[in-house]
DNA sequence: ATTATTGTACTAAGTAGTTAATACAACAAT
DNA sequence: ATTGTTGTATTAACTACTTAGTACAATAAT
């Protein structure tokens, strides 16, 4: 797991989002144990309290669950995971349209711009 | 100008972004005078200091300039405006690809998803 | 029973963003 | 000269986020 945080946004929300992305991708599989809070915090170069806060929130979303002294695990409920994947992706796309439309672009222009980006702007 | 702010991100950065979008769209034309700090802050339901901070940053970016006691205006330098428009749009698209690729989607899937969204998900 | 590992809770301190209130500086209009 | 409008600066208080340090609770492993 690779960690990087931008300024201007709480770290714990960034952890939540990055974790969602990783779970969506399958870096963490359903039922997988995730590192202990202290270890995970160390890995992310973040205070344990901050990591704790992020994980608690992911748990509130049903993406993680806790076995009291055994550790934290990714949920096995596929519905929950699918829903998260779907909503996450749709949110990103919705946000793109919102922003580009605020710039004055219409749907067609946006789709073209995205297609052009994928084709021409290599990485 | 319509104002709305999300929690979890500084208000002044959100003002900066919304102003860039409005300028990009042409809501504020080159050379246009923008409302006085106090009025603009009132309109956005925000403290004058917060609005001041946002406007100062936009000025630092060359998008606004100040005539000491006359008010603030949108720059007339078309290059600066074009550059802003270009970078702003590219940033949004780049961010979309970054995030969706972190979810495990490839370029083609992303383009398809965006096209599908534009066609099927009406608003 | 003891130990180690896990999640959890609490307090204190520091930093950043936000609001509030006030004051000053520049200058156009009168 | 006076007034009003503009941007700017300063100080204080409040909240949220982050870190640090410490302690407790539960239980699997020994």
């Amino acid at each position: 797991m690779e960690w990087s945080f931008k300024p201007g946004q709480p770290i714990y929300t960034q952890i939540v989002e990055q974790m969602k992305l990783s779970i969506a991708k399958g870096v963490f599989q359903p039922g997988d144990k995730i590192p202990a809070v202290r270890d995970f915090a160390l890995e992310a170069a973040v205070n344990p309290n901050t990591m704790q806060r992020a994980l608690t929130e992911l748990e509130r979303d049903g993406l993680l669950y806790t076995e009291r002294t055994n550790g934290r695990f990714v949920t096995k409920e596929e519905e929950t995971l699918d829903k998260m994947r779907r909503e996450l992706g749709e949110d990103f796309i919705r946000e793109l349209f919102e922003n580009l439309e605020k710039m004055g672009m219409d749907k067609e222009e946006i789709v073209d711009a995205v297609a052009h980006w994928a084709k021409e702007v290599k990485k």
Side-chain angles (χ1 to χ4, degrees), chain A:
Chain A
M1 180 93 198
E2 249 196 33
W3 298 102
S4 72
F5 306 110
K6 309 173 205 166
Q9 196 186 347
I11 294 179
Y12 81 96
T13 60
Q14 298 187 52
I15 296 179
V16 168
E17 183 162 294
Q18 292 190 32
M19 280 299 290
K20 284 186 181 176
L21 289 169
S22 291
I23 294 174
K25 185 171 185 175
V27 174
F28 295 102
Q29 297 280 332
D32 272 4
K33 179 175 183 174
I34 68 173
V37 197
R38 293 167 178 79
D39 299 340
F40 220 19
L42 201 66
E43 179 188 312
V46 151
N47 190 280
N49 297 326
T50 305
M51 181 57 73
Q52 164 86 358
R53 179 162 185 180
L55 298 183
T56 300
E57 189 154 325
L58 286 165
E59 197 155 342
R60 208 172 39 70
D61 291 347
L63 293 171
L64 301 180
Y65 65 93
T66 294
E67 290 182 7
R68 190 59 171 92
T69 67
N70 199 16
R72 263 204 193 78
F73 304 83
V74 177
T75 184
K76 295 170 185 163
E77 303 169 5
E78 288 291 351
E79 324 155 19
T80 307
L81 292 170
D82 283 343
K83 187 185 168 203
M84 182 270 284
R85 257 186 290 265
R86 201 179 333 115
E87 288 181 351
L88 200 57
E90 287 194 355
D91 283 349
F92 287 134
I93 296 180
R94 181 185 305 109
E95 201 177 345
L96 179 80
F97 276 86
E98 271 180 20
N99 284 324
L100 293 188
E101 284 176 351
K102 278 183 188 159
M103 287 183 62
M105 296 174 69
D106 62 25
K107 286 199 186 88
E108 196 180 352
E109 285 175 314
I110 296 171
V111 173
D112 287 349
V114 169
H116 175 266
W117 172 271
K119 190 178 296 181
E120 300 298 336
V121 189
K122 64 267 174 198
K123 61 165 233 180

